Every structure is written in structure tokens, then in C-alpha cells.
């Protein structure tokens, strides 16, 4: 039997304010980059790796954003120069007109000693949605902070985001 009512409300007209705190309202997996695609970051200025769009079921709820970023560096075989990179996440609620920085990493050594390194970096971030908006857009950016080689987002496994909306 399928669930059709919660707290005596029909599901199509469900008011998320009446849901118990912590109830999962919606969860989506969004592909930021498909496997094999990548974005090279070859300067100290941030550039966009990818942007995904999530349409909330209930504005004013909480969202948990779980991101798996493929990070790697292109190093030559005769160098011991490390490649350092930095990433950040921005969000927009107005269709991409205005973005707000939500999180920024420290400067990390991605690779050193003539060997390319690849890692999947899991990042979790929780935030409250505003009372209204157009959509939630999540943008990941990267920049190289040291070396003359590429710092890369994407690659072998790509990058994915899971957005879980929770009644709060």
C-alpha cells in the first residue's frame, strides 16, 4: 500500500512545516561532471568546474549537500614541484544571478614528485533554504595555488552531488 497521507494531509498538498523535524522530503543525485570529463584550473583565479540545479520541494527546509569531487593534478615525470589547489562551493537561489560563497578549502598539495595523483574528495555541507526562491544552484570552482602544472576537477569518475532536503 502506498503512502498517501501524513499528519492527515494529502501528499500533493503536503505542508512541510507540519512534518516531523528530520523527515526526508526529497533526495536527488545530480551529475556535475560525467566520468572522463574534466576542468583544468591553470591560474590563481577561480574558474567554474560545474554547476547543478536542484528544485526544492519545500522552501524553508534544510538541505544536506554531499559532493564527491574527483581531484587530480598533472605533473611531469621529472619534477618534484608539488601542485597545490583550492576549491570552493557557491550557491544561488535566484536562477544564477547572484552567488554566495558557502565553503572554501585550504590550499592542499594534490600531487608531488612526478606522479599524477587522483582522489575522490567527499565534502558534506548543511544549510537552511530561504523561505522562497527560484531554484537552488550549486556551483563548484577551483584554482591552482602553486606550481605551473594543472590542478584538475573531474576525470576518471567525474563529480556528483547528492542533495537531501529535510524538514526542519
Amino acid at each position: 500500500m502506498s503512502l498517501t497521507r501524513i499528519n492527515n494531509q494529502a501528499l500533493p498538498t503536503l505542508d512541510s512545516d507540519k512534518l516531523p523535524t528530520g523527515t526526508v522530503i526529497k533526495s536527488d543525485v545530480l551529475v556535475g561532471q560525467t566520468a572522463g570529463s574534466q576542468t583544468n584550473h591553470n591560474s590563481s583565479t577561480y574558474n567554474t568546474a560545474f554547476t547543478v540545479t536542484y528544485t526544492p520541494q519545500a522552501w524553508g527546509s534544510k538541505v544536506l549537500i554531499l559532493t564527491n569531487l574527483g581531484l587530480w593534478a598533472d605533473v611531469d615525470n621529472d619534477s618534484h614541484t608539488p601542485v597545490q589547489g583550492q576549491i570552493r562551493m557557491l550557491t544561488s537561489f535566484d536562477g544564477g544571478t547572484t552567488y554566495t560563497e558557502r565553503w572554501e578549502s585550504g590550499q592542499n598539495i594534490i600531487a608531488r614528485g612526478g606522479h599524477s595523483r587522483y582522489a575522490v574528495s567527499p565534502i558534506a555541507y548543511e544549510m537552511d533554504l530561504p523561505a522562497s526562491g527560484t531554484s537552488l544552484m550549486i556551483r563548484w570552482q577551483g584554482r591552482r595555488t602553486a606550481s605551473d602544472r594543472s590542478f584538475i576537477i573531474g576525470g576518471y569518475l567525474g563529480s556528483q552531488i547528492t542533495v537531501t532536503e529535510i524538514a526542519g
Side-chain angles (χ1 to χ4, degrees):
M1 179 169 89
S2 64
L3 180 65
T4 57
R5 300 184 78 72
I6 294 179
N7 289 342
N8 207 26
Q9 298 177 80
L11 286 179
T13 59
L14 185 63
D15 182 357
S16 66
D17 292 339
K18 294 184 172 89
L19 289 173
T21 299
T23 301
V24 173
I25 299 170
K26 181 180 171 185
S27 187
D28 277 346
V29 176
L30 308 168
V31 176
Q33 294 170 305
T34 58
S37 68
Q38 66 187 40
T39 306
N40 292 357
H41 304 277
N42 294 318
S43 75
S44 60
T45 303
Y46 274 110
N47 72 325
T48 299
F50 63 89
T51 303
V52 297
T53 302
Y54 173 80
T55 303
Q57 186 73 29
W59 288 98
S61 59
K62 294 185 178 296
V63 290
L64 176 61
I65 301 168
L66 302 172
T67 304
N68 285 314
L69 290 178
L71 301 175
W72 61 292
D74 170 31
V75 295
D76 57 17
N77 289 328
D78 60 356
S79 172
H80 293 285
T81 304
V83 176
Q84 292 182 330
Q86 192 169 21
I87 54 176
R88 70 179 178 180
M89 183 184 76
L90 302 97
T91 60
S92 173
F93 303 112
D94 60 7
T97 303
T98 307
Y99 279 91
T100 302
E101 182 179 304
R102 300 290 173 179
W103 181 84
E104 182 177 52
S105 72
Q107 298 181 43
N108 297 307
I109 295 177
I110 305 302
R112 171 194 307 258
H115 301 286
S116 292
R117 304 271 196 263
Y118 183 84
V120 175
S121 296
I123 299 158
Y125 186 83
E126 180 186 352
M127 62 184 284
D128 294 324
L129 291 174
S132 65
T134 306
S135 61
L136 167 60
M137 298 180 78
I138 303 164
R139 175 170 287 175
W140 280 97
Q141 296 182 325
R143 69 179 176 178
R144 184 185 65 210
T145 57
S147 180
D148 59 355
R149 307 296 291 180
S150 292
F151 164 58
I152 301 164
I153 297 177
Y156 304 113
L157 300 176
S159 298
Q160 300 83 28
I161 295 178
T162 302
V163 180
T164 302
E165 193 173 346
I166 304 165

